Amino acid sequence: MANLLRNAPCACNSGLRYKHCCGSLAGETSKGLNSRRQAALILQKAGRSFEAIEAYDAILLEQGNDWEVAHMRALAYLQIGLMDEARVAFAALLSTPVVHFDGFWSNLGLLLASVCSDPLSVAVQSKLNAYRCMHPVLKATRAGKEQTACSSSDNYPSVSVVMPAYMHAGYVSEAIGSVFSQTRPPLELIVIDDGSTDGTAESCRAALASAPFPVTLIARENRGAATTLNQGIQMAKGDYIQLLNSDDRLPADRIETMLDSLLERNAEWGFARVSFMDGNGHAFRQHENNRQIGLMAQQNAAVMCPTLGLAMLRANSAITSGNLMFRKNLWETLGGFHDYRYNHDWDFCLRATLESEPVLVPHSLYEYRIHERNTISESFHAPRMEQRKVMASFVRAALNHPPRANHFSPTLANWGGEFIALLGLTEALQHLPIEIVEQALQEPHSFTIPIG
């Protein structure tokens, strides 16, 4: 119990643990230092940062290993925009216990996001010009004659729809019906019930009875979303795969528009804008639901980044696996979906960016249902912990990724400081080797970007 009390927040409201504050073995000296820490912090919060830095310096002269003070001093330099001083202060902390403090990597990330990014540099502008040439502004539709000609071609690529179903007995009929209503029917629909106990399999069977094209239904024990997706895709005969969550819907022109867009760009994969509906299938009014607001911001962030691949570093711009269409051979190259409960789709998208740039169709072509049984709603902390694992794995892959067809993949080799800046904004900086972080602090613009 005594150890627990010593690890508790100090009663003096300093923000420190009791053992580092009034409960320190240093006794009265610690109390005096804590009072000075508190006074310096008050100055900093009041915007009197220069005075706060002087106060922090005085404390560090007496107790050079007061890591909380050293961290706040570095942050004060950042807050007043003295970037060179902030870089020196943060660099001095990389080999100290401060790297384990809450907020350290977030604060360091904000610093590197400010100093490493140089969007107006000749190298970045040349890279972006090459990107725009490869990905010109997407046309809204193809010319009618061209579209009709492609539609009637015997060599036109085929699409398989794969739908994992789990505990969505009340929604799955709508999902299946939206596939049957496509203006360009798919080659087939594969539905796998992943061990539902609410009658989802029976609802699937009833809805599939009127199928206008080949369908497959498999009902088995629960194995998880990633395994179920991989099983269905492995069975699929189509050149392209369109996924669909069993509680969502595809607009009638989804397959036709997405496929034409991918072929127009000669792209391996892509996604579209997402619209949001409630549990009854009714569209949300703007800003009606907190989750809707967050997800809209997530997909809107894609236009804030130089490329769609770089946007994926910040968040899953596709929102959900059901919004993905991709070549089956891309899935094979990537080794399928990895076994994450909440972020298997974002992990897939991140890895896909290393192979090929995606296409974003700027129209709402996926209807995402927000309800109480969304998997992501199960927990607040578990998805965030899994996100860190996903990003750590991706950063390792991005650093070790050999040169391939995608010259715009979101890697350090392709984007230099822009890559580091985005990692800083996503709190993923700590996944980089410490040597790279040190270099970024010492010489923010030392990372070269290949032209073109």
Side-chain angles (χ1 to χ4, degrees):
M1 178 65 70
N3 285 336
L4 289 176
L5 289 173
R6 286 181 56 74
N7 281 308
C10 190
C12 73
N13 295 319
S14 66
L16 305 177
R17 296 184 188 276
Y18 176 70
K19 67 182 180 181
H20 292 315
C21 190
C22 298
S24 169
L25 297 179
E28 293 302 318
T29 301
S30 174
K31 291 182 180 179
L33 282 173
N34 178 65
S35 177
R36 293 162 65 189
R37 286 191 197 103
Q38 187 69 14
L41 183 59
I42 290 172
L43 289 170
Q44 187 172 357
K45 288 182 176 179
R48 298 164 63 182
S49 299
F50 288 104
E51 295 174 67
I53 290 170
E54 289 181 359
Y56 290 140
D57 285 340
I59 295 172
L60 291 171
L61 278 175
E62 296 182 24
Q63 192 166 328
N65 63 346
D66 192 328
W67 305 122
E68 287 89 352
V69 166
H71 182 205
M72 295 308 297
R73 174 179 176 271
L75 179 59
Y77 278 124
L78 173 60
Q79 289 172 331
I80 57 180
L82 294 178
M83 296 306 185
D84 289 342
E85 289 81 357
R87 289 193 292 114
V88 172
F90 273 101
L93 299 176
L94 288 176
S95 59
T96 74
V98 177
V99 297
H100 302 297
F101 286 9
D102 289 341
F104 172 77
W105 288 103
S106 297
N107 293 330
L108 177 54
L110 291 174
L111 170 61
L112 291 184
S114 298
V115 301
C116 287
S117 179
D118 188 11
L120 298 180
S121 72
V122 173
V124 172
Q125 287 301 309
S126 175
K127 192 87 173 177
L128 291 178
N129 285 337
Y131 180 81
R132 295 183 190 106
C133 290
M134 183 194 75
H135 269 188
V137 176
L138 189 62
K139 300 174 184 176
T141 58
R142 291 179 140 204
K145 291 183 179 180
E146 182 182 359
Q147 191 167 349
T148 302
C150 288
S151 302
S152 62
S153 172
D154 293 335
N155 297 321
Y156 205 69
S158 57
V159 177
S160 293
V161 177
V162 173
M163 188 178 80
Y166 181 68
M167 302 297 287
H168 287 153
Y171 305 133
V172 71
S173 295
E174 285 186 54
I176 291 173
S178 74
V179 181
F180 293 168
S181 300
Q182 291 298 297
T183 55
R184 185 188 301 282
L187 176 70
E188 60 183 339
L189 169 62
I190 298 171
V191 181
I192 301 180
D193 179 75
D194 190 31
S196 302
T197 58
D198 67 340
T200 295
E202 290 74 15
S203 296
C204 289
R205 192 169 289 110
L208 292 171
S210 58
F213 45 75
V215 296
T216 300
L217 172 63
I218 296 174
R220 51 149 174 78
E221 74 284 357
N222 182 263
R223 299 180 191 171
T227 299
T228 303
L229 285 168
N230 288 334
Q231 181 182 359
I233 297 168
Q234 183 65 53
M235 296 170 55
K237 301 180 180 66
D239 302 301
Y240 285 83
I241 305 297
Q242 169 63 62
L243 303 181
L244 172 61
N245 299 330
S246 56
D247 52 344
D248 297 337
R249 297 187 305 227
L250 299 180
D253 59 341
R254 163 75 190 201
I255 291 177
E256 181 171 15
T257 304
M258 283 299 305
L259 187 57
D260 284 346
S261 300
L262 292 178
L263 294 176
E264 183 179 340
R265 297 284 194 86
N266 192 29
E268 298 289 305
W269 67 294
F271 49 93
R273 297 278 299 181
V274 173
S275 60
F276 302 93
M277 58 182 171
D278 61 21
N280 296 318
H282 300 141
F284 278 115
R285 293 188 297 271
Q286 191 173 16
H287 307 312
E288 182 179 357
N289 177 276
N290 287 335
R291 281 204 63 222
Q292 174 211 16
I293 293 170
L295 291 172
M296 286 181 66
Q298 192 168 307
Q299 68 175 351
N300 290 341
V303 301
M304 305 289 288
C305 287
T307 74
L308 292 174
L310 287 170
M312 274 294 170
L313 289 179
R314 298 197 64 170
N316 180 10
S317 309
I319 305 298
T320 179
S321 58
N323 191 26
L324 298 177
M325 180 182 281
F326 49 85
R327 286 187 184 273
K328 183 175 178 178
N329 58 15
L330 175 64
W331 170 84
E332 293 168 343
T333 298
L334 296 176
F337 285 84
H338 288 175
D339 192 18
Y340 292 107
R341 177 165 182 76
Y342 306 101
N343 296 282
H344 54 277
D345 47 358
W346 188 38
D347 169 75
F348 182 88
C349 290
L350 283 169
R351 291 185 291 120
T353 63
L354 297 178
E355 302 295 331
S356 173
E357 276 294 300
V359 163
L360 169 60
V361 178
H363 314 297
S364 295
L365 290 175
Y366 191 83
E367 298 176 0
Y368 182 88
R369 192 186 303 266
I370 296 177
H371 59 95
E372 68 282 352
R373 292 194 60 86
N374 289 131
T375 302
I376 199 70
S377 302
E378 294 176 348
S379 167
F380 174 78
H381 295 289
R384 290 177 65 85
M385 292 295 292
E386 192 178 83
Q387 285 172 9
R388 294 190 183 110
K389 293 180 180 179
V390 167
M391 184 55 75
S393 176
F394 174 76
V395 170
R396 287 194 298 270
L399 292 175
N400 299 316
H401 190 65
R404 293 190 181 170
N406 185 13
H407 302 298
F408 306 98
S409 60
T411 64
L412 181 64
N414 280 333
W415 291 100
E418 305 303 312
F419 174 77
I420 292 175
L422 279 170
L423 289 189
L425 290 174
T426 56
E427 301 185 17
L429 208 60
Q430 61 266 43
H431 303 310
L432 287 173
I434 199 70
E435 297 81 9
I436 293 179
V437 179
E438 289 174 340
Q439 181 182 348
L441 283 169
Q442 293 167 5
E443 301 177 89
H445 301 305
S446 62
F447 301 96
T448 59
I449 298 178
I451 305 270

